[in-house]
Amino acid sequence: MKSDLLNRANKIFPWGRLFRLLLILVISIQFVIITYNHFSGFYKLDNISHFFIRLGVGTALGLIAAYLVAIPDLLIIGYLNKSFSWHRKTLPRVALQLLLTILAAVISSTIITFLSNSISIYKEGLGIILVYNALIFSVANIILMAIMEGWQFSMESTKARIRAEKLERELSQVRFEVLKSQINPHFMFNSLNVLSGLIENDVKRAQKFIDEFSQIYRYVLETIEKPVVSLSEELGFVRSYIFLQQIRYGESLRLVVDIPSLYLQKLLPPLSLQTVLENAIKHNIVNDSQPLNIEIYAKDSWLYVKNNIQPKISAGRSTGIGQQNMIKRYSMISERVPDFMFGADSYIAKLPLIESEYDEGPDN
């Protein structure tokens, strides 16, 4: 438990930076205090050696005190970042952080004062020193807390900028891969082959095929730059895609969709379902004696795509590029990512359904 808390604190403010910050702060404060005490007559120094002795002892005790204050400060920041966001609960955050900052300083100063008094008894009296040190520690800790918050904001801003640049590069690559898969020459060739046969035998179905074919590419062009689309839109695309495949495979390819209406406005990256369906068709036998059955259903904010397993001998080993691209696309917009599972006789792709910002509410 202790190790977990320290690791969490280290993530907020790395130990190396914390040590340098505290050392500079402690030496600066000790220098000001010792100098002020000497010239005010509160604690006269005998000579320059006495000054450096006071500075050394004060710095050593000050570092101990600083860590006694700084580590609770980091834990306070970590707790408040989760429960009292700067963006949504600014005033309660400021009030509570100020109160906890002073409380941590007073507790720490009391411990250090008693420790120092046990080493060398104060001539001025323990009571007045306790109050004096509590005031100094409180002011110093408020400054320290402000510095750490400012430094953390700076680090987070830098990390966010680097992460955004990295994600943009990855997103461009993913978009290229997705677009490339949609203009796959095999898919184009097979579709045109099917269309050629339909034109000779069934003009009405050929016209329907052309309409659905155009719907597919219109959807690709309209959504390729979008991070998310509604499940309702994606299902509309899936119907067109499956129609083309069923022209080729007939009743051997069966699709059942069972999605409650409450899920239709949930979001997911465009063409996610097509990637899963394409993999199912590509890697499994689809014929009259071994039909491929695909189910799409939703449960607990997840979309499930399930198909029976009957692998093609000549299909070759899957590269997993489609799945990797989908996971990357999800990771850019959500903490949840897809999961792909093999059962005893079925394969299930589990895709997160994302809430829109309008569904999440202001405080979630």
Side-chain angles (χ1 to χ4, degrees):
M1 182 65 179
K2 185 187 291 185
S3 176
D4 181 55
L5 290 174
L6 292 177
N7 288 336
R8 195 182 307 166
N10 186 42
K11 287 181 180 178
I12 298 171
F13 208 97
W15 296 125
R17 291 182 180 179
L18 182 63
F19 174 75
R20 291 192 294 272
L21 172 63
L22 295 181
L23 184 62
I24 293 170
L25 190 61
V26 167
I27 291 176
S28 301
I29 291 173
Q30 286 298 318
F31 181 84
V32 170
I33 291 173
I34 293 170
T35 304
Y36 173 79
N37 286 345
H38 174 73
F39 288 107
S40 67
F42 186 78
Y43 191 99
K44 282 281 186 179
L45 298 171
D46 299 331
N47 49 46
I48 192 67
S49 298
H50 192 192
F51 169 79
F52 282 111
I53 291 171
R54 290 277 298 170
L55 182 62
V57 173
T59 299
L61 291 173
L63 270 177
I64 296 172
Y67 272 105
L68 285 175
V69 170
I71 292 176
D73 283 353
L74 293 175
L75 298 178
I76 289 169
I77 291 173
Y79 166 73
L80 294 178
N81 284 345
K82 286 186 176 182
S83 305
F84 294 86
S85 166
W86 278 113
H87 302 293
R88 294 172 181 166
K89 299 179 180 179
T90 305
L91 289 178
R93 165 82 182 236
V94 171
L96 185 57
Q97 188 157 355
L98 183 61
L99 177 64
L100 292 174
T101 299
I102 293 173
L103 181 61
V106 170
I107 292 172
S108 216
S109 71
T110 302
I111 294 172
I112 289 298
T113 302
F114 276 111
L115 177 63
S116 180
N117 189 63
S118 68
I119 296 172
S120 176
I121 296 175
Y122 290 108
K123 298 176 183 178
E124 299 81 4
L126 185 59
I128 191 171
I129 296 298
L130 282 170
V131 174
Y132 182 67
N133 283 351
L135 290 173
I136 293 174
F137 271 65
S138 295
V139 172
N141 199 32
I142 290 171
I143 295 171
L144 176 62
M145 182 69 84
I147 291 172
M148 288 197 295
E149 282 281 14
W151 204 332
Q152 188 193 7
F153 273 121
S154 175
M155 289 191 299
E156 290 297 327
S157 176
T158 302
K159 287 179 183 177
R161 178 177 54 79
I162 294 172
R163 186 164 57 248
E165 291 173 355
K166 180 181 178 182
L167 289 179
E168 185 57 37
R169 289 195 299 270
E170 288 184 352
L171 183 57
S172 297
Q173 180 62 32
V174 167
R175 284 172 178 161
F176 172 74
E177 293 292 341
V178 171
L179 187 58
K180 187 171 68 174
S181 72
Q182 297 307 312
I183 55 175
N184 187 310
H186 295 291
F187 177 70
M188 295 284 287
F189 177 78
N190 290 333
S191 298
L192 293 175
N193 240 0
V194 170
L195 178 60
S196 176
L198 285 176
I199 289 173
E200 293 181 2
N201 303 313
D202 191 337
V203 175
K204 190 173 181 179
R205 290 189 78 193
Q207 183 59 51
K208 175 68 172 172
F209 187 95
I210 292 171
D211 290 343
E212 299 295 345
F213 191 78
S214 65
Q215 287 290 340
I216 285 177
Y217 282 95
R218 183 180 295 114
Y219 182 82
V220 171
L221 293 174
E222 288 176 350
T223 62
I224 191 64
E225 293 296 327
K226 295 181 179 180
V228 291
V229 294
S230 70
L231 177 56
S232 177
E233 293 176 278
E234 187 77 355
L235 288 174
F237 165 78
V238 162
R239 291 187 187 96
S240 296
Y241 178 77
I242 288 296
F243 174 84
L244 298 191
Q245 298 293 348
Q246 286 178 329
I247 292 291
R248 179 182 177 191
Y249 293 108
E251 294 299 318
S252 301
L253 178 61
R254 303 167 187 171
L255 175 67
V256 176
V257 179
D258 183 15
I259 307 290
S261 59
L262 64 94
Y263 289 103
L264 293 179
Q265 296 310 308
K266 305 292 186 185
L267 307 176
L268 71 168
L271 306 172
S272 298
L273 275 176
Q274 186 267 346
T275 300
V276 176
L277 295 174
E278 184 180 53
N279 281 341
I281 296 169
K282 178 181 177 182
H283 295 291
N284 288 282
I285 296 170
V286 188
N287 58 36
D288 293 338
S289 61
Q290 293 179 284
L292 181 64
N293 300 304
I294 303 175
E295 299 175 57
I296 301 177
Y297 57 96
K299 182 181 177 183
D300 298 332
S301 294
W302 290 87
L303 186 68
Y304 295 81
V305 184
K306 179 180 179 181
N307 64 268
N308 54 316
I309 299 175
Q310 40 201 34
K312 292 178 180 176
I313 298 175
S314 60
R317 186 175 181 180
S318 173
T319 61
I321 292 176
Q323 292 180 1
Q324 292 170 14
N325 285 339
M326 197 188 306
I327 290 171
K328 281 185 181 179
R329 294 169 74 199
Y330 263 100
S331 66
M332 295 174 191
I333 56 175
S334 172
E335 293 182 356
R336 298 186 298 158
V337 294
D339 191 15
F340 305 95
M341 304 170 288
F342 280 97
D345 55 1
S346 64
Y347 177 80
I348 298 176
K350 186 179 172 186
L351 310 181
L353 291 175
I354 302 166
E355 299 282 349
S356 71
E357 58 182 350
Y358 305 106
D359 294 332
E360 292 177 352
D363 295 324
N364 291 338

